[in-house]
Amino acid sequence: MFTRQTRLMALLVAIVALIAAGCGPKAAPSTSVLDTPEYHYNQGLKYLDKDQVDDAMKSFQRAVDLDPKSPLGYIGKGLALGKKGDFKAAIDNMEKAKGYESKGIEARIGMIRLLSMQRSKNWIKDAESEFKTANDREPNNPKLHYYMGMAYKMELDFDKAAGMFRKVIELNREFTGEANAEWAVIQKIQRAAPGTEIGKKIALIDKIDRADVAALFDQEMNLEKLFTKRGPKTYDTSFKAPTESTTRFSPETTTKMAAATDIADHWLKPSVETILRLQVRGLEAGPNHTFEPDKLITKGEFAVMLEDILIKVSGDEKLATKFLGAPSPFPDIRNDQYFFSAAMTVTTRGYIEADKATGEFRPGDPVSGADALLSIREFKNQLKF
């Protein structure tokens, strides 16, 4: 039996609850049939794909304004904040989304994507935990498997990544095209079998630069050892008078310039310095003593480098002129272009392939890390190195 005091207390609690509810965030009025949280969430994802993070954040905020209890806006804001590097706020938004989503699938996918961006200690275990919870609730979600595959790829666990991408392809629903493309890359990496941590990391790069190639030649090909074992030993000990290009003069000292002055703070500096000493054609420093480590390499340039290494290792100088005057089998290369001989050498030996459908070599195309590793693997296999 309720006393008068108990009834008054219950009434007060109810009033406070009503006031609190009335003070909560109110949904903004929609201005058209397209002005919905779903529309702005999808639009925000498009902005994120283009790295237009501020525009994405505006779209996600509009989704929240239209429905403060919709998980979509908070998921989007979490991803945008992750792109900005504000992971504390990003995770707070993703956790809020979990509270508003019935199954929590989208929010947990978002959390896997966030963890893949941040990659803090033990991050992959946290991602696996998010995946397990979501997969238990919805075991055949292609988006969930795709982003877990991307997480394993970032962790350099290529076998598990391949398993996730295969699952997406088997489901044959959303993300099939993306999973097919990622699986093809993973298969290349698995065939190339990079043996070093640097090799695995560079394998993930779509367009490698000069420093990346130097690292692959140094770490994966072990070029210094290869030259020592197979290449001719040539040591230049002759006296060379100092010139203005090789020295810096001051009234008190004369200091020899570094071979490359633009790699001092580069994380791959040791590998670049090793390759500079070995004088691989196409990877030399320029006359102004710059290496340009961040400059992307082309397929034609990479072919020249591989041909030069082959000549040095085999000692067969005739390789450089073997195809002189030969007709070009490539519709996009003339036989008088500087990389023609190299293109012939690498394709006839199977280091690099021309396009099977068109026969084009595409010398100006960028080179991916996976393709470079495959070339190096075949090079080493043929040398039985």
Side-chain angles (χ1 to χ4, degrees), residues 63-230:
V64 171
D65 292 342
L66 287 168
D67 184 357
K69 292 187 178 180
S70 168
L72 297 179
Y74 298 108
I75 293 170
K77 286 178 70 175
L79 293 173
L81 287 163
K83 286 258 188 179
K84 286 175 173 284
D86 188 353
F87 290 104
K88 184 180 183 305
I91 290 170
D92 286 345
N93 273 273
M94 212 62 77
E95 291 293 349
K96 187 177 287 188
K98 286 182 187 179
Y100 289 132
E101 191 182 5
S102 57
K103 285 188 177 180
I105 306 298
E106 282 293 325
R108 292 183 189 281
I109 293 171
M111 192 66 83
I112 291 170
R113 295 178 68 180
L114 270 185
L115 292 165
S116 300
M117 290 182 209
Q118 187 180 24
R119 297 200 293 280
S120 57
K121 187 178 179 181
N122 297 322
W123 73 274
I124 195 65
K125 290 183 179 179
D126 294 334
E128 287 173 332
S129 176
E130 297 287 351
F131 173 82
K132 184 180 184 308
T133 301
N135 195 51
D136 287 344
R137 297 174 183 177
E138 197 172 302
N140 291 317
N141 186 305
K143 187 175 181 180
L144 175 64
H145 284 82
Y146 175 78
Y147 279 109
M148 194 64 223
M150 293 299 290
Y152 280 131
K153 179 183 170 185
M154 296 305 299
E155 178 63 7
L156 309 180
D157 192 334
F158 301 125
D159 289 340
K160 288 183 179 179
M164 289 291 166
F165 294 136
R166 278 198 303 271
K167 177 68 174 180
V168 178
I169 295 166
E170 288 166 8
L171 291 170
N172 196 25
R173 285 152 47 196
E174 302 91 355
F175 288 87
T176 302
E178 294 91 332
N180 259 316
E182 291 295 341
W183 193 32
V185 172
I186 294 296
Q187 286 178 307
K188 280 185 181 180
I189 296 171
Q190 288 176 318
R191 291 202 308 274
T196 65
E197 196 73 8
I198 284 179
K200 291 177 182 178
K201 289 179 179 177
I202 294 175
L204 301 181
I205 301 174
D206 292 332
K207 301 175 183 178
I208 57 175
D209 56 34
R210 286 167 57 83
D212 295 328
V213 179
L216 290 179
F217 286 159
D218 177 37
Q219 300 288 315
E220 288 291 325
M221 191 179 275
N222 203 349
L223 195 54
E224 191 166 31
K225 181 180 178 182
L226 184 58
F227 277 9
T228 301
K229 291 181 71 173
R230 291 176 173 266

Side-chain angles (χ1 to χ4, degrees), residues 321-380:
T321 56
K322 180 179 179 179
F323 298 100
L324 189 65
S328 174
F330 313 110
D332 56 343
I333 298 181
R334 300 190 314 273
N335 65 357
D336 61 343
Q337 290 180 285
Y338 82 93
F339 45 75
F340 170 69
S341 173
M344 291 293 291
T345 297
V346 297
T347 52
T348 55
R349 290 174 180 263
Y351 302 156
I352 298 177
E353 292 184 345
D355 187 279
K356 287 183 172 66
T358 65
E360 295 173 328
F361 186 77
R362 297 177 182 170
D365 280 5
V367 179
S368 72
D371 283 332
L373 277 161
L374 274 177
S375 298
I376 289 171
R377 174 63 55 187
E378 183 59 29
F379 190 104
K380 290 167 67 176

Side-chain angles (χ1 to χ4, degrees), residues 231-288:
K233 292 181 173 61
T234 54
Y235 302 103
D236 187 0
T237 58
S238 60
F239 172 78
K240 287 183 174 59
T243 64
E244 187 176 352
S245 64
T246 58
T247 57
R248 288 196 185 99
F249 294 102
S250 74
E252 299 175 356
T253 61
T254 302
T255 306
K256 185 177 180 180
M257 285 182 69
T261 59
D262 57 348
I263 60 171
D265 300 320
H266 200 284
W267 73 286
L268 293 175
K269 178 186 176 185
S271 289
V272 173
E273 289 180 332
T274 297
I275 298 306
L276 284 172
R277 285 199 309 273
L278 299 176
Q279 298 180 359
V280 175
R281 184 185 174 203
L283 274 182
E284 313 96 330
N288 58 349

